[in-house]
Amino acid sequence: MFIPFTNWVPDSDPVAANVLTDPTNNIVPTVRGYKGANSFLPVIEQTSLSATAVGMWYARRVDNNDLLFGATASNIFLRSGGAWTANTSVTISAVSRWQFAQYGNLTFAGAKETQPMVTDTTTFTSVGTGLSSMPRFAIIDTINEFVMLGNVTTSITYSVAGVITVQPGDYQDRWWCSGIGNPLTWNPDLATQATTNRLTDVPGKLTAGRALGDRFVFYKQRGIYLGTNTSVPFVWEWSLISAAIGTFGQQCVVPVGNYHYFVGNDDFYIFDGQQAQSIGEGVREWFFNRMNKKFADLIWGEHDQYNKLIYWWYPGVGSTGSLNEFIVYHYGSNKWGRGESVMRAASSFLVDALTWDQLWVGFTFNTIPNTTFDAAVFQAESYVPVFFDGNSRLATLDGPQLDGTMVTTFGGDDAKASLLRRIRGRWIQTPTTAVLTPSRLMRQGEPATAGTARTMQNARWDFTQNARWHKIKIATTGNWETSGIDAEVVVRGKE
């Protein structure tokens, strides 16, 4: 009897058919089934940052002189060869996380804790002085010909023709856009279309903001606003889409095509510009019970375009802010997986004929990493996620697979006993080792009894187990992929 692994559903009924459940670990969904979660693969001959990474940005420039920046709490570094070169010319107050945006050849960087900066070459400088000063921000993105900010702080009194438009202060519910076609103009003025206002229909601060096609979306922890560019006199007009659904932080929202995928305040959602729809059925209870909500604003999502995966790293139970676990969603098949690894920061890196050599300099035929043929880093003209791992080393997610665990739900019948006497793995790629531990019980609701662990031989495990209900745990090492298992079961008859 073939039992496909159709999904990982930790919130499922204990006897739900054909799914994996808790404590499954270090698995990633594929179009064929599941594979082991890859470890981080440090980029060869690349030094680590000098301190813990709290930001990363791949600057995709119009002139094709693309740059990769890494950031610590007190500086921003440019990747140059195999080293990181400090490239700021201003004093930086320590920041908890940098936010970046790209406008043509201009790269913007900033945070609420320090002054915003910009570079069009390699050295970051302050953005304007006096009335041209850019406010400090927690949120930044680009949309059409504007740079858009949210959750801002300013020490400047802005005015036009002697009329004060914005007083100094911390405006956590305020949005602010640059002049149209001029991202260095910030004094609110209809002549330039630099504009600002507050979103107050629902209480709370702005937590995230992302472009969505030619519109812009701001999120609160409980609230979603959709903005449309209408030119003067309002420049941007906002509609409240939801007063109940929102998100925790900027990196919770992952743009994919014409959609936003995000970790909401009570579920996972996809937003298409009209409504936010739940995608978290089967995992939401498990996730929100496991995540340390005190640090939910630090969740970091990243898109693996080639493999159609969205990863969200989050602080697990007991974490004091470290992103030590991830949950992963395959949006092509609506399947989930999870794993444990420490990630500091991430960005998307375009692999093409120019950047390939920059990223993989130093490899020879004999030192190609132990990864799969379809690893994202080998796919030209794709955006590949790159990371700072737990040691703040530049890495891709293409290292050897982590030790994995697959746990099934119970299969059986309350009215019939059955003999389970053999399990075969339906492997697409066979792991180095696989140890199976069967469990059994006679009545649902009672503790299960674990059997003897057995190592796979000839792609199968031979044993006998008599009970009404059966489940198995498979612990793997090495690289693997599977679509499910074949179980030999003999039904004993009704009792």
Side-chain angles (χ1 to χ4, degrees), residues 363-388:
F363 278 118
T364 66
F365 181 81
N366 293 325
T367 59
I368 292 295
N370 179 23
T371 188
T372 55
F373 74 94
D374 59 348
V377 74
F378 297 131
Q379 309 305 320
E381 299 302 322
S382 290
Y383 276 97
V384 174
V386 291
F387 305 88
F388 283 122

PDB file of all heavy atoms in Angstrom, residues 363-388:
ATOM      1  N   PHE A 363      36.190  27.766  -6.796  1.00  0.00           N
ATOM      2  CA  PHE A 363      35.842  26.361  -6.891  1.00  0.00           C
ATOM      3  C   PHE A 363      36.563  25.704  -8.068  1.00  0.00           C
ATOM      4  O   PHE A 363      36.801  26.309  -9.108  1.00  0.00           O
ATOM      5  CB  PHE A 363      34.326  26.177  -7.083  1.00  0.00           C
ATOM      6  CG  PHE A 363      33.562  26.247  -5.799  1.00  0.00           C
ATOM      7  CD1 PHE A 363      32.608  27.243  -5.600  1.00  0.00           C
ATOM      8  CD2 PHE A 363      33.792  25.334  -4.782  1.00  0.00           C
ATOM      9  CE1 PHE A 363      31.906  27.316  -4.415  1.00  0.00           C
ATOM     10  CE2 PHE A 363      33.085  25.390  -3.604  1.00  0.00           C
ATOM     11  CZ  PHE A 363      32.141  26.382  -3.417  1.00  0.00           C
ATOM     12  N   THR A 364      36.926  24.430  -7.880  1.00  0.00           N
ATOM     13  CA  THR A 364      37.436  23.600  -8.965  1.00  0.00           C
ATOM     14  C   THR A 364      36.468  22.445  -9.167  1.00  0.00           C
ATOM     15  O   THR A 364      35.518  22.269  -8.402  1.00  0.00           O
ATOM     16  CB  THR A 364      38.832  23.043  -8.614  1.00  0.00           C
ATOM     17  OG1 THR A 364      38.697  22.136  -7.499  1.00  0.00           O
ATOM     18  CG2 THR A 364      39.788  24.170  -8.241  1.00  0.00           C
ATOM     19  N   PHE A 365      36.717  21.645 -10.180  1.00  0.00           N
ATOM     20  CA  PHE A 365      35.840  20.504 -10.442  1.00  0.00           C
ATOM     21  C   PHE A 365      35.729  19.602  -9.222  1.00  0.00           C
ATOM     22  O   PHE A 365      34.660  19.066  -8.911  1.00  0.00           O
ATOM     23  CB  PHE A 365      36.371  19.715 -11.641  1.00  0.00           C
ATOM     24  CG  PHE A 365      35.515  18.527 -11.989  1.00  0.00           C
ATOM     25  CD1 PHE A 365      34.360  18.683 -12.749  1.00  0.00           C
ATOM     26  CD2 PHE A 365      35.849  17.253 -11.551  1.00  0.00           C
ATOM     27  CE1 PHE A 365      33.562  17.589 -13.073  1.00  0.00           C
ATOM     28  CE2 PHE A 365      35.054  16.157 -11.865  1.00  0.00           C
ATOM     29  CZ  PHE A 365      33.914  16.330 -12.634  1.00  0.00           C
ATOM     30  N   ASN A 366      36.831  19.435  -8.501  1.00  0.00           N
ATOM     31  CA  ASN A 366      36.856  18.520  -7.356  1.00  0.00           C
ATOM     32  C   ASN A 366      36.290  19.132  -6.085  1.00  0.00           C
ATOM     33  O   ASN A 366      36.122  18.421  -5.086  1.00  0.00           O
ATOM     34  CB  ASN A 366      38.287  18.044  -7.091  1.00  0.00           C
ATOM     35  CG  ASN A 366      38.809  17.172  -8.213  1.00  0.00           C
ATOM     36  OD1 ASN A 366      38.053  16.412  -8.806  1.00  0.00           O
ATOM     37  ND2 ASN A 366      40.101  17.281  -8.500  1.00  0.00           N
ATOM     38  N   THR A 367      36.016  20.438  -6.090  1.00  0.00           N
ATOM     39  CA  THR A 367      35.523  21.071  -4.859  1.00  0.00           C
ATOM     40  C   THR A 367      34.121  21.635  -5.016  1.00  0.00           C
ATOM     41  O   THR A 367      33.669  22.404  -4.183  1.00  0.00           O
ATOM     42  CB  THR A 367      36.476  22.194  -4.406  1.00  0.00           C
ATOM     43  OG1 THR A 367      36.570  23.177  -5.450  1.00  0.00           O
ATOM     44  CG2 THR A 367      37.850  21.655  -4.078  1.00  0.00           C
ATOM     45  N   ILE A 368      33.411  21.243  -6.092  1.00  0.00           N
ATOM     46  CA  ILE A 368      32.009  21.641  -6.221  1.00  0.00           C
ATOM     47  C   ILE A 368      31.258  21.123  -5.007  1.00  0.00           C
ATOM     48  O   ILE A 368      31.436  19.979  -4.595  1.00  0.00           O
ATOM     49  CB  ILE A 368      31.399  21.067  -7.519  1.00  0.00           C
ATOM     50  CG1 ILE A 368      32.033  21.745  -8.725  1.00  0.00           C
ATOM     51  CG2 ILE A 368      29.890  21.248  -7.544  1.00  0.00           C
ATOM     52  CD1 ILE A 368      31.733  23.224  -8.837  1.00  0.00           C
ATOM     53  N   PRO A 369      30.384  21.931  -4.396  1.00  0.00           N
ATOM     54  CA  PRO A 369      29.743  21.532  -3.152  1.00  0.00           C
ATOM     55  C   PRO A 369      28.818  20.322  -3.314  1.00  0.00           C
ATOM     56  O   PRO A 369      28.298  20.044  -4.397  1.00  0.00           O
ATOM     57  CB  PRO A 369      28.939  22.781  -2.764  1.00  0.00           C
ATOM     58  CG  PRO A 369      28.745  23.527  -4.035  1.00  0.00           C
ATOM     59  CD  PRO A 369      29.978  23.280  -4.833  1.00  0.00           C
ATOM     60  N   ASN A 370      28.617  19.615  -2.199  1.00  0.00           N
ATOM     61  CA  ASN A 370      27.748  18.450  -2.157  1.00  0.00           C
ATOM     62  C   ASN A 370      26.301  18.908  -2.112  1.00  0.00           C
ATOM     63  O   ASN A 370      25.702  19.020  -1.056  1.00  0.00           O
ATOM     64  CB  ASN A 370      28.081  17.593  -0.930  1.00  0.00           C
ATOM     65  CG  ASN A 370      27.179  16.369  -0.830  1.00  0.00           C
ATOM     66  OD1 ASN A 370      26.620  15.928  -1.827  1.00  0.00           O
ATOM     67  ND2 ASN A 370      27.038  15.837   0.383  1.00  0.00           N
ATOM     68  N   THR A 371      25.756  19.208  -3.270  1.00  0.00           N
ATOM     69  CA  THR A 371      24.386  19.698  -3.344  1.00  0.00           C
ATOM     70  C   THR A 371      23.693  19.026  -4.519  1.00  0.00           C
ATOM     71  O   THR A 371      24.285  18.202  -5.213  1.00  0.00           O
ATOM     72  CB  THR A 371      24.359  21.230  -3.477  1.00  0.00           C
ATOM     73  OG1 THR A 371      23.016  21.698  -3.357  1.00  0.00           O
ATOM     74  CG2 THR A 371      24.949  21.683  -4.799  1.00  0.00           C
ATOM     75  N   THR A 372      22.429  19.333  -4.724  1.00  0.00           N
ATOM     76  CA  THR A 372      21.648  18.661  -5.751  1.00  0.00           C
ATOM     77  C   THR A 372      21.766  19.375  -7.091  1.00  0.00           C
ATOM     78  O   THR A 372      22.091  20.555  -7.153  1.00  0.00           O
ATOM     79  CB  THR A 372      20.174  18.594  -5.329  1.00  0.00           C
ATOM     80  OG1 THR A 372      19.711  19.910  -5.043  1.00  0.00           O
ATOM     81  CG2 THR A 372      20.016  17.734  -4.088  1.00  0.00           C
ATOM     82  N   PHE A 373      21.447  18.647  -8.173  1.00  0.00           N
ATOM     83  CA  PHE A 373      21.622  19.204  -9.521  1.00  0.00           C
ATOM     84  C   PHE A 373      20.731  20.402  -9.769  1.00  0.00           C
ATOM     85  O   PHE A 373      21.043  21.258 -10.586  1.00  0.00           O
ATOM     86  CB  PHE A 373      21.328  18.125 -10.566  1.00  0.00           C
ATOM     87  CG  PHE A 373      19.862  17.814 -10.717  1.00  0.00           C
ATOM     88  CD1 PHE A 373      19.103  18.453 -11.674  1.00  0.00           C
ATOM     89  CD2 PHE A 373      19.248  16.891  -9.885  1.00  0.00           C
ATOM     90  CE1 PHE A 373      17.749  18.177 -11.813  1.00  0.00           C
ATOM     91  CE2 PHE A 373      17.893  16.606 -10.019  1.00  0.00           C
ATOM     92  CZ  PHE A 373      17.143  17.253 -10.981  1.00  0.00           C
ATOM     93  N   ASP A 374      19.578  20.451  -9.040  1.00  0.00           N
ATOM     94  CA  ASP A 374      18.638  21.548  -9.275  1.00  0.00           C
ATOM     95  C   ASP A 374      18.744  22.636  -8.222  1.00  0.00           C
ATOM     96  O   ASP A 374      17.820  23.416  -8.027  1.00  0.00           O
ATOM     97  CB  ASP A 374      17.202  21.018  -9.345  1.00  0.00           C
ATOM     98  CG  ASP A 374      16.771  20.311  -8.076  1.00  0.00           C
ATOM     99  OD1 ASP A 374      17.650  20.026  -7.226  1.00  0.00           O
ATOM    100  OD2 ASP A 374      15.566  20.038  -7.936  1.00  0.00           O
ATOM    101  N   ALA A 375      19.874  22.690  -7.515  1.00  0.00           N
ATOM    102  CA  ALA A 375      20.062  23.752  -6.530  1.00  0.00           C
ATOM    103  C   ALA A 375      19.904  25.110  -7.198  1.00  0.00           C
ATOM    104  O   ALA A 375      20.332  25.321  -8.334  1.00  0.00           O
ATOM    105  CB  ALA A 375      21.444  23.638  -5.887  1.00  0.00           C
ATOM    106  N   ALA A 376      19.288  26.043  -6.482  1.00  0.00           N
ATOM    107  CA  ALA A 376      18.959  27.332  -7.082  1.00  0.00           C
ATOM    108  C   ALA A 376      20.193  28.074  -7.568  1.00  0.00           C
ATOM    109  O   ALA A 376      20.138  28.805  -8.558  1.00  0.00           O
ATOM    110  CB  ALA A 376      18.191  28.186  -6.080  1.00  0.00           C
ATOM    111  N   VAL A 377      21.327  27.880  -6.898  1.00  0.00           N
ATOM    112  CA  VAL A 377      22.508  28.651  -7.259  1.00  0.00           C
ATOM    113  C   VAL A 377      23.035  28.282  -8.641  1.00  0.00           C
ATOM    114  O   VAL A 377      23.795  29.029  -9.239  1.00  0.00           O
ATOM    115  CB  VAL A 377      23.600  28.460  -6.192  1.00  0.00           C
ATOM    116  CG1 VAL A 377      24.246  27.097  -6.306  1.00  0.00           C
ATOM    117  CG2 VAL A 377      24.643  29.557  -6.268  1.00  0.00           C
ATOM    118  N   PHE A 378      22.611  27.144  -9.174  1.00  0.00           N
ATOM    119  CA  PHE A 378      23.056  26.740 -10.500  1.00  0.00           C
ATOM    120  C   PHE A 378      22.097  27.188 -11.592  1.00  0.00           C
ATOM    121  O   PHE A 378      22.260  26.805 -12.750  1.00  0.00           O
ATOM    122  CB  PHE A 378      23.220  25.218 -10.551  1.00  0.00           C
ATOM    123  CG  PHE A 378      24.278  24.696  -9.622  1.00  0.00           C
ATOM    124  CD1 PHE A 378      24.009  23.630  -8.776  1.00  0.00           C
ATOM    125  CD2 PHE A 378      25.533  25.264  -9.596  1.00  0.00           C
ATOM    126  CE1 PHE A 378      24.986  23.152  -7.915  1.00  0.00           C
ATOM    127  CE2 PHE A 378      26.515  24.795  -8.746  1.00  0.00           C
ATOM    128  CZ  PHE A 378      26.238  23.735  -7.896  1.00  0.00           C
ATOM    129  N   GLN A 379      21.094  27.967 -11.261  1.00  0.00           N
ATOM    130  CA  GLN A 379      20.083  28.353 -12.237  1.00  0.00           C
ATOM    131  C   GLN A 379      20.332  29.785 -12.706  1.00  0.00           C
ATOM    132  O   GLN A 379      20.041  30.742 -12.009  1.00  0.00           O
ATOM    133  CB  GLN A 379      18.680  28.222 -11.636  1.00  0.00           C
ATOM    134  CG  GLN A 379      18.426  26.865 -10.982  1.00  0.00           C
ATOM    135  CD  GLN A 379      18.678  25.705 -11.929  1.00  0.00           C
ATOM    136  OE1 GLN A 379      18.340  25.771 -13.108  1.00  0.00           O
ATOM    137  NE2 GLN A 379      19.268  24.643 -11.411  1.00  0.00           N
ATOM    138  N   ALA A 380      20.886  29.943 -13.903  1.00  0.00           N
ATOM    139  CA  ALA A 380      21.169  31.268 -14.442  1.00  0.00           C
ATOM    140  C   ALA A 380      19.878  32.040 -14.673  1.00  0.00           C
ATOM    141  O   ALA A 380      18.826  31.475 -14.962  1.00  0.00           O
ATOM    142  CB  ALA A 380      21.954  31.146 -15.743  1.00  0.00           C
ATOM    143  N   GLU A 381      19.982  33.356 -14.539  1.00  0.00           N
ATOM    144  CA  GLU A 381      18.857  34.279 -14.732  1.00  0.00           C
ATOM    145  C   GLU A 381      17.734  34.052 -13.720  1.00  0.00           C
ATOM    146  O   GLU A 381      16.574  34.318 -13.999  1.00  0.00           O
ATOM    147  CB  GLU A 381      18.308  34.194 -16.158  1.00  0.00           C
ATOM    148  CG  GLU A 381      19.326  34.563 -17.229  1.00  0.00           C
ATOM    149  CD  GLU A 381      19.892  35.967 -17.048  1.00  0.00           C
ATOM    150  OE1 GLU A 381      19.130  36.862 -16.671  1.00  0.00           O
ATOM    151  OE2 GLU A 381      21.099  36.158 -17.273  1.00  0.00           O
ATOM    152  N   SER A 382      18.078  33.560 -12.549  1.00  0.00           N
ATOM    153  CA  SER A 382      17.117  33.415 -11.457  1.00  0.00           C
ATOM    154  C   SER A 382      17.606  34.230 -10.260  1.00  0.00           C
ATOM    155  O   SER A 382      18.809  34.397 -10.052  1.00  0.00           O
ATOM    156  CB  SER A 382      16.963  31.947 -11.033  1.00  0.00           C
ATOM    157  OG  SER A 382      16.300  31.200 -12.013  1.00  0.00           O
ATOM    158  N   TYR A 383      16.646  34.720  -9.484  1.00  0.00           N
ATOM    159  CA  TYR A 383      16.999  35.357  -8.223  1.00  0.00           C
ATOM    160  C   TYR A 383      17.180  34.278  -7.165  1.00  0.00           C
ATOM    161  O   TYR A 383      16.263  33.508  -6.876  1.00  0.00           O
ATOM    162  CB  TYR A 383      15.929  36.353  -7.794  1.00  0.00           C
ATOM    163  CG  TYR A 383      16.094  37.708  -8.443  1.00  0.00           C
ATOM    164  CD1 TYR A 383      15.377  38.047  -9.575  1.00  0.00           C
ATOM    165  CD2 TYR A 383      16.997  38.640  -7.923  1.00  0.00           C
ATOM    166  CE1 TYR A 383      15.531  39.291 -10.179  1.00  0.00           C
ATOM    167  CE2 TYR A 383      17.167  39.872  -8.516  1.00  0.00           C
ATOM    168  CZ  TYR A 383      16.434  40.200  -9.643  1.00  0.00           C
ATOM    169  OH  TYR A 383      16.606  41.423 -10.242  1.00  0.00           O
ATOM    170  N   VAL A 384      18.370  34.208  -6.620  1.00  0.00           N
ATOM    171  CA  VAL A 384      18.740  33.198  -5.644  1.00  0.00           C
ATOM    172  C   VAL A 384      18.866  33.856  -4.277  1.00  0.00           C
ATOM    173  O   VAL A 384      19.511  34.896  -4.152  1.00  0.00           O
ATOM    174  CB  VAL A 384      20.091  32.552  -6.035  1.00  0.00           C
ATOM    175  CG1 VAL A 384      20.563  31.603  -4.967  1.00  0.00           C
ATOM    176  CG2 VAL A 384      19.958  31.846  -7.368  1.00  0.00           C
ATOM    177  N   PRO A 385      18.264  33.299  -3.227  1.00  0.00           N
ATOM    178  CA  PRO A 385      18.461  33.885  -1.906  1.00  0.00           C
ATOM    179  C   PRO A 385      19.885  33.658  -1.415  1.00  0.00           C
ATOM    180  O   PRO A 385      20.434  32.559  -1.533  1.00  0.00           O
ATOM    181  CB  PRO A 385      17.442  33.135  -1.036  1.00  0.00           C
ATOM    182  CG  PRO A 385      17.203  31.844  -1.747  1.00  0.00           C
ATOM    183  CD  PRO A 385      17.374  32.129  -3.205  1.00  0.00           C
ATOM    184  N   VAL A 386      20.500  34.715  -0.911  1.00  0.00           N
ATOM    185  CA  VAL A 386      21.803  34.627  -0.259  1.00  0.00           C
ATOM    186  C   VAL A 386      21.644  35.116   1.173  1.00  0.00           C
ATOM    187  O   VAL A 386      20.758  35.916   1.472  1.00  0.00           O
ATOM    188  CB  VAL A 386      22.891  35.426  -0.999  1.00  0.00           C
ATOM    189  CG1 VAL A 386      23.222  34.783  -2.318  1.00  0.00           C
ATOM    190  CG2 VAL A 386      22.471  36.870  -1.197  1.00  0.00           C
ATOM    191  N   PHE A 387      22.504  34.630   2.058  1.00  0.00           N
ATOM    192  CA  PHE A 387      22.276  34.807   3.483  1.00  0.00           C
ATOM    193  C   PHE A 387      23.571  35.153   4.211  1.00  0.00           C
ATOM    194  O   PHE A 387      24.668  34.887   3.723  1.00  0.00           O
ATOM    195  CB  PHE A 387      21.728  33.509   4.099  1.00  0.00           C
ATOM    196  CG  PHE A 387      20.497  32.976   3.436  1.00  0.00           C
ATOM    197  CD1 PHE A 387      20.604  32.111   2.344  1.00  0.00           C
ATOM    198  CD2 PHE A 387      19.235  33.320   3.888  1.00  0.00           C
ATOM    199  CE1 PHE A 387      19.466  31.603   1.726  1.00  0.00           C
ATOM    200  CE2 PHE A 387      18.101  32.822   3.278  1.00  0.00           C
ATOM    201  CZ  PHE A 387      18.212  31.962   2.198  1.00  0.00           C
ATOM    202  N   PHE A 388      23.418  35.706   5.390  1.00  0.00           N
ATOM    203  CA  PHE A 388      24.452  35.638   6.415  1.00  0.00           C
ATOM    204  C   PHE A 388      24.017  34.547   7.388  1.00  0.00           C
ATOM    205  O   PHE A 388      22.922  34.612   7.963  1.00  0.00           O
ATOM    206  CB  PHE A 388      24.607  36.970   7.149  1.00  0.00           C
ATOM    207  CG  PHE A 388      25.353  38.005   6.356  1.00  0.00           C
ATOM    208  CD1 PHE A 388      24.770  39.221   6.064  1.00  0.00           C
ATOM    209  CD2 PHE A 388      26.646  37.763   5.922  1.00  0.00           C
ATOM    210  CE1 PHE A 388      25.458  40.182   5.336  1.00  0.00           C
ATOM    211  CE2 PHE A 388      27.342  38.717   5.187  1.00  0.00           C
ATOM    212  CZ  PHE A 388      26.746  39.923   4.894  1.00  0.00           C
TER     213      PHE A 388
END
